[in-house]
Amino acid sequence: MNLSPHLSVRGGHLYVGEHDTVRLAAEFGTPLYVTDEERVRARYREYRDALTAHYDPVQVLYAAKANGNPALLRVLAGEGAGADVFSPGELELALRAGMDPSRLLFNGSSKSREDLRLAVERRIRVSLDSPDELDAIDQVAEALGQTALVAFRVNPALDVPTHPKIATGLASSKFGIPHAAIPDAYRAALRKEHVRPVGIHCHIGSQILALEPFVEAARVMVRIAGELVRLGVELEFIDLGGGLGIPYRHGVDRAPSPREYADAVMPVFVDGVRELGIRPALWVEPGRSIVADSTVLLTRVNSTKDADRRFVNVDAGFNQLIRPAMYGAYHEVVVANRADAPAESTCTVAGPICESGDLLAEDRALPAVREGDLLAILDAGAYGFAMSSQYNARPRAAELLVRGPDRALMRRAETIDDLVATHSMPPWL
Ligand code: LLP
């Protein structure tokens, strides 16, 4: 199996950077997420460099939902990244990590007035998802004596090749405002006293492996930018969203690199804005493609069982990584303590959760596996920990960051005490 550049096999053990995963698991316990800091930095830089080779100004906003760990946000803040934040929590995390407020976009399809207040108070640009939100933010800004800086999220009505649950720009999607309604939305914004429309935003979906949908989205956005310029909107940024996929099936999937993305999309963008005589900043919001392959999820084999299929029962389930159960997602599996052994049997990797769907990987050719072995689930850095839960009263896993010879927890494992920390007993019990 081909591995990302920061992964290697030495003496039969899987290494993340300089670190033997077998030793990390022994020291920190399992399940354990292990993230390579340099890999995250490298992927961020690939984006920044590829886009700035075509245009300036460019701002990469990391989609914090992919993994909002404060340490990762700090790493990316240090690189100059901004963030797409989708909740007050993500907003707060990004600010505490030291991100520049002017490099944040507060997104969301259902924001409360309190959410809007938090954003306006901190002068965060807000992507509005409905005309109702425009009315609400105008009132919120008036009460604060401020002017809200806003964009509208366009629904570009693009049917992109990805899992239906993560195609966000379909005409039927809950996100965004239909193209036809966009001019009226901006006209209304221009009439508001406490709102200034400064940008336009879209996001067409996630885990997209083809370039054409991104090019098409750029065409749509440039067309809309033209309509807005004619209305008198001064566009400070055009945000093309995130969505570039990664090759989860190693050696099978082919994902465009950030450079290929930039080479395909930027000519459309650059020519488009030049023709319009404007020079807005280009914003993009990649999440998965920055962090997914930086991280493995280490999980210990509790038992094996030959039944209808051969099951390998491990200590991480969809409580730690829900993507396979939720989207039928594929993640490569490596037997981390015998990573160079030949495949011997077809195994299904099952978690400890009381659900038949709690399978991390189905029908994979793996070396002989027995109790005590260590499996690594690859490409678990995006929407892995971030979507984990305490289902079945299982504490969430620790997250370890490695850089060169250093390694440190960026989140400790939860304990049973953490599980009950927010409980209270009604007084009559
Ligand atoms: N910007 C917006 C407005 C988004 O809604 C998203 C993802 C992104 C950026 C980042 O997209 P990315 O570059 O990561 O594809 N939990 C799913 C993915 C959900 C994505 C939702 N929106 C999964 O595990 O595949």
Side-chain angles (χ1 to χ4, degrees), residues 115-132:
D115 297 344
L116 294 170
R117 196 181 63 74
L118 286 172
V120 174
E121 213 172 44
R122 293 167 151 140
R123 297 180 162 71
I124 308 297
R125 286 156 182 76
V126 177
S127 174
L128 300 174
D129 209 281
S130 65
D132 276 5

Side-chain angles (χ1 to χ4, degrees), residues 63 65-66 84 86 107 153 166 168 201 203 205-207 241-244 285-289 323 327 382-383 387:
K65 62 188 75 89
D84 141 40
F86 218 82
N107 287 317
R153 177 160 171 174
I166 53 176
T168 57
H201 173 221
H203 177 72
S206 198
Q207 185 49 19
L244 200 62
E285 301 175 348
R288 183 192 317 271
S289 49
R323 304 195 64 262
Y327 314 112
Y383 311 108
M387 294 177 82

